[in-house]
Amino acid sequence: MLVTHPSAIKDTPRLQESRVSAAAVAEADTQTPTSNKSTSVTAEKGSQHQVLSRWVALATVTKSMGNSEQSARTLRQLSYQLKTLSARINQQTSPNDVNPQQIASAVSKMKTQLQQGGVNGKLRSIDPAAQSVTRELTNKVDLLSPKALDEQVSIVMGRSGKAVSFSLPAYADKSANLETVQQAFSSQEIAVTVSARDTLLFTASKDASSALKEPWMMMGKGVRIAAGNPVSVSLSEEPHALDALQQLAQSNNTASDVYQQQIAQLQRSIRASLQNIELQRQQILQRLQQIQRSPAGAEELQELTQQVQQILNQPDQNAVSILVSQANITRNLVSFSLSSSR
């Protein structure tokens, strides 16, 4: 007769539990290296991301610095050319010796050099990353001066689909009317300012500029725009800082003192623009100091290159972006170094 030992019956579940536990431990042991490897890869990519982010920040700052340095050089060159032109006019023995055609030609070349040198028509540095469009409303349309009647104005801006309406109370002063117009156009992402010629300037980002490039249809109640008679108005580009000097020459004016007055005014504008660029430069330097540390030079470039090569050995969707970033960053840093050493 076969007898089964009671302890054997009790040990069987224990043995099964032990085997299950052992198997779980073994599986955990086999998974640990994979988990560690995944953590290591994540940490490595995080480190690469930090390095690239810092270099991108450096590239952005140095590019801004390069733009401001280029604009300053262009303005100094313009100042020198105007001084030369002024001296040439002073050398004329009589007003009739002034050659307006030569002056007009010289001013035309100055305009081209400004554009190529990163300076706009207001003698300000052009920021390629944040270009905007500015248009001027003709001074025949008066939206600012006080009037004796309450007025309602509605404007449809071409085919952009944008429109504004606003009320101008009777006897409201210029500043109050300007604030009303600014609030109305702000809803369409258009900024409104007043020029030195007391005309209205409308500025929009490049993406939102279509509303400024087509004729406006204006209508309303009051004396500014007669009721029932819509008026079509085309906005124009803001005059170039050199336009007055060029127009003076094109009118065949031979009075040397008039040219000297225009040149003196331009020189004052240039000095103001150079001061503004210097303030921008100080702000850029402060941003540069806020970045973790300055570039370490060849050693850090080599480190970044090795990291990029490792990624390219196992290419993914980010490989091309990393290469492009490295190329742009290196180019910008070299350009900044060259401009700083001049």
Side-chain angles (χ1 to χ4, degrees):
M1 182 177 180
L2 179 62
V3 179
T4 303
H5 197 281
S7 62
I9 297 175
K10 293 180 180 179
D11 288 344
T12 300
R14 293 178 182 176
L15 181 60
Q16 292 175 348
E17 183 180 351
S18 176
R19 288 174 179 173
V20 172
S21 299
V25 171
E27 183 178 357
D29 290 341
T30 59
Q31 289 180 348
T32 299
T34 302
S35 177
N36 290 339
K37 181 178 180 181
S38 176
T39 303
S40 176
V41 171
T42 302
E44 182 180 354
K45 288 188 175 181
S47 176
Q48 293 168 350
H49 176 73
Q50 290 177 355
V51 172
L52 289 173
S53 296
R54 184 174 59 78
W55 278 77
V56 168
L58 284 169
T60 302
V61 172
T62 53
K63 183 177 181 180
S64 298
M65 179 69 77
N67 288 338
S68 65
E69 292 291 341
Q70 180 191 31
S71 299
R73 287 195 300 271
T74 301
L75 287 172
R76 292 190 188 100
Q77 182 181 15
L78 174 63
S79 178
Y80 174 77
Q81 291 173 335
L82 289 172
K83 286 180 182 178
T84 302
L85 179 61
S86 176
R88 188 167 50 196
I89 293 174
N90 280 336
Q91 289 174 357
Q92 309 302 325
T93 57
S94 68
N96 294 330
D97 291 335
V98 175
N99 190 325
Q101 289 74 24
Q102 290 182 356
I103 295 176
S105 177
V107 174
S108 180
K109 291 179 180 179
M110 291 177 192
K111 284 184 175 182
T112 301
Q113 291 172 351
L114 285 178
Q115 180 67 28
Q116 294 174 345
V119 175
N120 62 22
K122 294 186 288 186
L123 304 183
R124 299 292 178 87
S125 178
I126 299 175
D127 185 356
Q131 287 190 14
S132 60
V133 174
T134 298
R135 293 292 185 270
E136 184 180 43
L137 182 64
T138 173
N139 54 14
K140 295 180 181 179
V141 179
D142 177 15
L143 297 178
L144 299 183
S145 62
K147 299 296 180 181
L149 299 173
D150 291 339
E151 298 188 277
Q152 181 70 30
V153 179
S154 296
I155 300 175
V156 178
M157 292 172 269
R159 293 174 293 180
S160 67
K162 296 183 176 182
V164 298
S165 294
F166 49 90
S167 299
L168 300 174
Y171 299 108
D173 61 20
K174 180 178 177 179
S175 60
N177 286 335
L178 176 60
E179 184 177 354
T180 298
V181 175
Q182 288 173 332
Q183 291 178 352
F185 279 90
S186 64
S187 63
Q188 303 298 337
E189 300 180 351
I190 298 175
V192 183
T193 55
V194 180
S195 72
R197 298 169 306 283
D198 212 28
T199 58
L200 285 176
L201 299 176
F202 298 84
T203 302
S205 67
K206 191 173 182 180
D207 294 335
S209 63
S210 59
L212 305 181
K213 295 180 179 179
E214 294 185 354
W216 288 0
M217 189 63 67
M218 305 181 66
M219 61 202 79
K221 293 181 180 180
V223 296
R224 301 176 202 265
I225 302 173
N229 294 310
V231 178
S232 178
V233 178
S234 295
L235 279 72
S236 59
E237 293 189 14
E238 188 179 7
H240 196 285
L242 295 175
D243 277 353
L245 182 59
Q246 189 173 34
Q247 291 168 3
L248 185 63
Q250 290 173 343
S251 67
N252 289 322
N253 193 317
T254 58
S256 60
D257 58 332
V258 179
Y259 288 103
Q260 298 293 6
Q261 291 175 6
Q262 286 293 335
I263 291 174
Q265 182 177 346
L266 282 170
Q267 293 286 21
R268 289 192 293 270
S269 298
I270 291 172
R271 286 194 293 270
S273 294
L274 286 172
Q275 290 175 357
N276 184 60
I277 289 176
E278 179 59 26
L279 289 176
Q280 293 177 351
R281 181 176 176 274
Q282 294 300 326
Q283 294 173 355
I284 292 171
L285 288 174
Q286 290 177 3
R287 291 202 301 269
L288 187 61
Q289 293 171 357
Q290 292 172 357
I291 299 175
Q292 293 179 355
R293 66 180 187 276
S294 299
E299 182 178 353
E300 190 165 7
L301 281 173
Q302 181 64 25
E303 176 187 356
L304 183 59
T305 302
Q306 291 175 352
Q307 291 176 342
V308 172
Q309 288 174 345
Q310 290 174 0
I311 295 174
L312 291 180
N313 289 335
Q314 298 176 342
D316 59 15
Q317 60 182 357
N318 297 319
V320 174
S321 298
I322 291 172
L323 271 183
V324 172
S325 297
Q326 185 193 27
N328 288 335
I329 290 164
T330 304
R331 181 194 62 192
N332 289 328
L333 288 172
V334 170
S335 297
F336 171 63
S337 298
L338 290 175
S339 64
S340 299
S341 62
R342 291 176 183 175

